[in-house]
Amino acid sequence: MTWDVEVLVNNAGVGEGGSTLDIPALNIRREFEVNVTGPLLLTQGIAKQMVKRGKGRIVWVSSREGLNVNPFTGIYAASKHAIEAIAETMAMELQEFGVEVATINPGPFLTGFNDRMFQTWQSWADDPSERLFDYSKLAFPRAQFDPEPVYATMTAVAAGDVDTYRNLEPKQMIDETKRLQQAPWDRKTTDGLGTRPGQLQASYDMEPETPIAV
């Protein structure tokens, strides 16, 4: 089958919230099937058609969590870290064939996605008494931005009006993101041991659907 796809935007994704120690196996597998395996298998066929034509553009919608992490989003972040690895490798592999690859990295936008991710525990087929955390007390640990900037960036990247490989929105989070990427190089295994990290405490303190104060 030849679809003659000129631009592929891989935007399929689900978010599974919860501790890496609590999320059931079925939910972990679904996270990777939807966010990683399915889009990659789709891309394989379309990318080879682009190679034959000598042109095309593939856009992977990753996440800021493909570069950083937050408490209780580790499995989702892991799937987006996988997307980062796939996209960067694919960019190298397709360069000589004239096929462009880019990523979009949305941060915490108030679309409902982040808050729904902290409700998935309600459908887990597990023993609640064995959970490390009480998820009825937790919320997404950050205030969230108006989503309009990321819509504009996604459209521009897909159309080729923006040619940067990595495109993080909102742009005011770029410096923080880079700083947090560097932080593990300096962290020690004993830092803060026996205390609750501030980022994790924020999940207890934050109310769902909290917008960024303007």
Side-chain angles (χ1 to χ4, degrees):
M1 180 182 294
T2 301
W3 292 343
D4 293 327
V5 175
E6 296 180 5
V7 180
L8 171 63
V9 179
N10 284 317
N11 191 36
V14 294
E16 185 71 42
S19 168
T20 54
L21 300 177
D22 284 338
I23 298 176
L26 183 65
N27 299 70
I28 294 172
R29 292 190 181 98
R30 178 173 180 265
E31 185 80 3
F32 278 85
E33 285 290 333
V34 175
N35 290 10
V36 182
T37 307
L40 177 57
L41 293 176
L42 173 67
T43 302
Q44 286 180 341
I46 292 175
K48 288 178 180 177
Q49 295 173 16
M50 291 177 174
V51 166
K52 291 178 181 178
R53 294 196 304 272
K55 62 179 180 179
R57 183 177 302 112
I58 299 169
V59 181
W60 288 91
V61 180
S62 177
S63 171
R64 182 174 180 269
E65 303 236 340
L67 308 172
N68 297 154
V69 298
N70 279 298
F72 309 116
T73 64
I75 299 304
Y76 172 73
S79 74
K80 292 302 184 177
H81 275 67
I83 290 299
E84 290 291 324
I86 289 167
E88 192 163 356
T89 305
M90 188 174 289
M92 289 189 286
E93 294 167 346
L94 293 179
Q95 178 177 306
E96 65 185 279
F97 301 107
V99 178
E100 302 172 54
V101 178
T103 67
I104 299 171
N105 297 75
F109 287 103
L110 191 53
T111 62
F113 181 88
N114 298 311
D115 296 292
R116 287 193 300 272
M117 185 159 49
F118 273 69
Q119 298 169 353
T120 56
W121 61 271
Q122 297 173 9
S123 64
W124 290 354
D126 69 338
D127 180 356
S129 68
E130 294 295 322
R131 294 174 186 169
L132 198 59
F133 294 94
D134 180 355
Y135 295 100
S136 67
K137 298 179 180 179
L138 302 177
F140 183 73
R142 300 191 66 124
Q144 301 174 65
F145 293 85
D146 184 289
E148 287 302 321
V150 78
Y151 298 155
T153 295
M154 289 179 69
T155 301
V157 173
D161 297 332
V162 171
D163 63 359
T164 46
Y165 168 76
R166 176 169 289 156
N167 301 276
L168 190 148
E169 289 286 354
K171 291 182 175 59
Q172 56 262 51
M173 296 190 77
I174 290 176
D175 288 343
E176 177 190 355
T177 300
K178 290 180 178 179
R179 176 176 57 79
L180 291 174
Q181 285 182 295
Q182 178 64 29
W185 290 97
D186 302 318
R187 187 167 61 233
K188 297 195 170 44
T189 59
T190 54
D191 287 349
L193 208 61
T195 66
R196 176 177 289 171
Q199 281 179 293
L200 196 149
Q201 180 60 42
S203 286
Y204 287 91
D205 299 337
M206 187 68 66
E207 291 293 325
E209 300 184 17
T210 300
I212 292 289
V214 293

